[in-house]
Amino acid sequence: MTVLITGGMGFIGLHTARAFVDAGEDVVITYYQTWREPSFIKDEYGKRVIVEKADVSEPSVIEEVAKKHKAEHIVHLAVPGVMALGPYDDYRVNMNGLIGVLEAARNAEVKRLSLASSIAVYHSIPNGPYRETDRLPVESSNPTETFKKAWEILAFHYAGRTGLDVVSMRIGGIWGPLYHSMMNLPSRLAHAAVNGTEPDYSRGVPFAEDTGDVCYVKDCAQGIRRVQLTEDLPNRIYNVSSGIAVSNQRLVDAVKAVRPDANLALQDGKGPAYKEENYLDMSRARDELGFENAFTPESAMADYIAWLEEGNEK
């Protein structure tokens, strides 16, 4: 069986490719500009992992790749960087990419297309836990929240008209090896500890009691694999994350358990954006997919710091 992963050369994509290979599947991954050869998968390039250059904003490209390699599954992870494009190009790439991958999946007669949605769709809901059945407001405060909501509506409409099996994965805050934007806190804390510097708090010093649902990338990859390969799914939307609200202080403590001398100061208390029960409910993924996280925040931080200490890329 062959799985096509758009954006497969990305942070989540490479770990997801590894998860599929470990499950016995062949994988085709696409890249557009960035080429990576991380130690955990580079030996599979040209063997179990085939790499294709593809611009997903060109609607016919993914169909050509899918048919060329007789892909039976597509995981659509390709997405522009946050705020990397202006409003017009952001819209063009997101929407052309969506219709392109929908048409590719239908014309290539794949068994299932999984779309990467985001925890961001819940951003405008005041408190958690966030469930797949929550009614999401139309108002959206950032591009990710906006496009991911629109993708779900449009993709499910298309699926209803064509019979295509489409699933949306609402993915949490993912961190770990190969993460490069440094927008999430656990990655900044880990890098600061390994580099012997203070964390980048240019966006403001975080509050100790603020929380988020952060999921280690290796767990996320396994969740995506289960969404894609589990047969006869009873639902079309699945949360994929840790399912716990992890405080900023817990992340700092996890770093200090490995690097006691790390200088990782936080502000006391809760910030103005604090939310109660700020996590994704993982009941559906657990009960229907058998998905459980293998890593705790502590074991994940130790694994990530070990990766960085070995001199690997990010």
Side-chain angles (χ1 to χ4, degrees):
M1 184 181 300
T2 299
V3 181
L4 168 60
I5 306 174
T6 72
M9 193 67 81
F11 159 56
I12 296 176
L14 285 166
H15 288 279
T16 301
R18 181 73 259 178
F20 279 115
V21 169
D22 289 344
E25 312 299 342
D26 294 323
V27 179
V28 178
I29 62 176
T30 72
Y31 78 103
Y32 180 48
Q33 293 178 319
T34 301
W35 179 277
R36 290 170 166 169
E37 296 184 0
S39 58
F40 62 81
I41 199 169
K42 67 178 181 179
D43 290 344
E44 296 289 351
Y45 286 7
K47 301 173 184 175
R48 301 292 301 283
V49 177
I50 303 300
V51 183
E52 292 276 8
K53 186 170 185 178
D55 180 357
V56 297
S57 69
E58 298 294 333
S60 64
V61 172
I62 299 305
E63 182 175 335
E64 292 173 2
V65 173
K67 289 182 175 179
K68 175 182 176 181
H69 296 283
K70 298 180 173 60
E72 297 172 76
H73 290 266
I74 298 179
V75 179
H76 187 43
L77 301 179
V79 65
V82 178
M83 303 304 289
L85 302 174
Y88 171 79
D89 284 330
D90 209 10
Y91 193 99
R92 178 183 60 82
V93 172
N94 270 283
M95 303 317 289
N96 282 356
L98 176 63
I99 187 57
V101 77
L102 288 169
E103 276 286 274
R106 180 169 74 104
N107 293 335
E109 298 182 337
V110 303
K111 294 180 179 178
R112 178 171 296 152
L113 166 64
S114 292
L115 302 174
S117 185
S118 169
I119 191 174
V121 302
Y122 299 112
H123 179 79
S124 298
I125 296 177
N127 294 300
Y130 310 111
R131 299 180 174 88
E132 294 92 339
T133 52
D134 288 342
R135 295 180 66 86
L136 306 179
V138 172
E139 295 78 16
S140 301
S141 62
N142 61 72
T144 302
E145 182 182 7
T146 302
F147 285 115
K148 296 306 185 183
K149 288 179 183 177
W151 272 27
E152 290 188 354
I153 294 170
L154 296 170
F156 293 149
H157 174 71
Y158 183 96
R161 294 185 65 178
T162 63
L164 181 65
D165 185 351
V166 177
V167 182
S168 180
M169 305 175 293
R170 293 177 176 172
I171 297 172
I174 310 304
W175 62 289
L178 301 182
Y179 184 79
H180 59 89
S181 73
M182 293 299 107
M183 292 189 67
N184 65 40
L185 182 60
S187 295
R188 281 184 277 147
L189 294 176
H191 276 258
V194 171
N195 295 330
T197 61
E198 294 184 2
D200 177 6
Y201 287 158
S202 57
R203 301 180 185 90
V205 179
F207 288 84
E209 295 182 41
D210 281 358
T211 64
D213 189 332
V214 290
C215 178
Y216 201 48
V217 66
K218 295 180 182 181
D219 281 330
C220 175
Q222 293 299 330
I224 292 171
R225 177 182 66 83
R226 287 180 178 270
V227 168
Q228 189 66 44
L229 298 183
T230 300
E231 296 185 2
D232 302 321
L233 293 180
N235 287 288
R236 299 294 92 195
I237 302 173
Y238 289 88
N239 289 337
V240 177
S241 197
S242 71
I244 58 175
V246 181
S247 72
N248 293 337
Q249 186 61 56
R250 183 174 178 180
L251 293 172
V252 167
D253 292 344
V255 174
K256 285 184 170 290
V258 183
R259 287 292 192 104
D261 58 343
N263 183 11
L264 308 173
L266 300 172
Q267 295 191 66
D268 292 334
K270 301 172 182 176
Y274 176 83
K275 289 185 175 185
E276 296 287 344
E277 299 185 289
N278 190 27
Y279 63 91
L280 297 179
D281 183 291
M282 292 297 296
S283 300
R284 180 178 285 183
R286 182 185 64 246
D287 297 343
E288 298 177 9
L289 308 176
F291 173 60
E292 297 279 0
N293 282 252
F295 288 86
T296 65
E298 291 74 21
S299 62
M301 187 63 76
D303 187 75
Y304 187 25
I305 289 176
W307 164 270
L308 294 174
E309 288 176 335
E310 291 170 1
N312 291 294
E313 176 193 356
K314 299 267 186 177

